[in-house]
Amino acid sequence: MTDNSAPAGGSIGIKPMVIAIPVLLIALVFLPSAIVIGVGMIPTIVARVVDTSPGKRLTVTVGGFNLLGCLYFLHKIWAAGQGMGDIQPTLMNSFGWLSALVGAGVGWIVFGFMPVIIGKFAETQTALRLRSITKDQERLVEDWGESVRGMYGVHEVPAPKDED
């Protein structure tokens, strides 16, 4: 029998326990920081629940920016001494919540506008490539004649004239 346990596509898969055990151990050592970051990352959990994109791109985008916003919370709890009694005052800081939620909001905006940006980039690349192909074709027509163009050649369409 063959072993079919290898991940498809040739990619190397990481077992969840290999990541979960060290993360849990670090979270236990830095428990107040882990609690504050866990609460501050609630927008990321919401993004994960509603994310239907392949590869969970929304979760990654919102999570990254949300984590950046949560750095304010992290700074506050570390400055306070990282004790269990410092959790509540840190989480009651409205500027920290503003920072965390704005970070998550920026992640949603980036995720929403990225298809438009990539579409414009692809459109520009296509126009540049078409211009290059047209120049090459015109050079070949000059060298070899109109028969080189064939039935699939790029023909320039004259711009419409304004009739007044």
Side-chain angles (χ1 to χ4, degrees):
M1 291 234 115
T2 60
D3 182 23
N4 292 332
S5 62
S11 64
I12 299 173
I14 297 177
K15 296 185 181 192
M17 293 305 287
V18 172
I19 295 174
I21 291 174
V23 168
L24 286 174
L25 290 175
I26 292 170
L28 286 175
V29 172
F30 299 105
L31 189 60
S33 295
I35 292 171
V36 167
I37 292 297
V39 171
M41 296 291 285
I42 288 174
T44 302
I45 296 168
V46 171
R48 174 64 174 99
V49 169
V50 300
D51 191 3
T52 59
S53 64
K56 303 299 180 193
R57 292 183 188 107
L58 174 64
T59 304
V60 171
T61 307
V62 172
F65 284 105
N66 188 207
L67 184 61
L68 285 174
C70 286
L71 290 179
Y72 181 82
F73 278 146
L74 204 57
H75 170 71
K76 282 294 186 187
I77 196 150
W78 285 353
Q82 194 180 355
M84 293 302 280
D86 299 325
I87 295 172
Q88 185 178 5
T90 301
L91 290 176
M92 291 179 67
N93 187 331
S94 60
F95 188 73
W97 281 108
L98 177 67
S99 177
L101 293 174
V102 164
V106 167
W108 278 94
I109 290 170
V110 167
F111 181 80
F113 280 109
M114 198 51 64
V116 174
I117 293 168
I118 296 300
K120 290 295 181 183
F121 183 71
E123 181 181 332
T124 303
Q125 276 187 322
T126 302
L128 290 172
R129 179 71 179 136
L130 183 59
R131 186 180 305 154
S132 172
I133 289 172
T134 304
K135 286 180 184 178
D136 291 345
Q137 184 183 29
E138 291 303 320
R139 193 185 75 241
L140 286 171
V141 167
E142 287 175 14
D143 292 345
W144 294 91
E146 192 65 34
S147 62
V148 171
R149 192 178 305 267
M151 62 187 259
Y152 296 113
V154 178
H155 298 282
E156 291 186 28
V157 178
K161 296 180 183 179
D162 292 334
E163 296 180 22
D164 292 317

